[in-house]
Amino acid sequence: QYGQVLIDLQRYDGAVEQLQRATTLEPYWALPHLFLGRAREKQGKMDEAFAHYEKFVALSTASDSQAKAIKLRLDLRKGSGQQ
């Protein structure tokens, strides 16, 4: 996925643009939200990052191990009072 490559290259603005396009074209595809969360987190935009992580978890299957890990992270964030 091109968005993930751009994240790896630390081209976060380009990654966000590509990934947002993917979510527009395929609104029920979970994976772009995971990568959008990562890109926004790298940019220091934590609220946006966690909003995308929440969307990723909501769209993922229950057996998805990445979704389980992100859900745990979201639960820990909520438990620590960071919203």
Side-chain angles (χ1 to χ4, degrees), residues 38-57:
R38 289 181 181 166
R40 289 305 195 189
E41 192 168 355
K42 294 287 188 180
Q43 293 175 314
K45 298 178 179 181
M46 300 308 287
D47 289 340
E48 289 182 49
F50 279 92
H52 284 292
Y53 289 149
E54 287 176 355
K55 186 76 172 180
F56 169 71
V57 169

Side-chain angles (χ1 to χ4, degrees), residues 8-64:
D8 292 342
L9 295 172
Q10 298 180 357
R11 295 181 55 197
Y12 305 120
D13 291 336
V16 168
E17 182 181 323
Q18 291 297 318
L19 293 162
Q20 285 177 333
R21 187 174 304 141
T23 62
T24 299
L25 295 172
E26 295 287 339
Y28 299 107
W29 187 22
L31 201 55
H33 290 285
L34 174 63
F35 295 123
L36 273 165
R38 289 181 181 166
R40 289 305 195 189
E41 192 168 355
K42 294 287 188 180
Q43 293 175 314
K45 298 178 179 181
M46 300 308 287
D47 289 340
E48 289 182 49
F50 279 92
H52 284 292
Y53 289 149
E54 287 176 355
K55 186 76 172 180
F56 169 71
V57 169
L59 293 172
S60 295
T61 62
S63 63
D64 186 327

Side-chain angles (χ1 to χ4, degrees), residues 63-82:
S63 63
D64 186 327
S65 61
Q66 282 184 308
K68 288 178 182 178
I70 294 292
K71 182 172 182 341
L72 177 60
R73 192 165 174 210
L74 290 168
D75 291 345
L76 289 171
R77 183 173 194 250
K78 288 177 184 174
S80 70
Q82 297 177 357

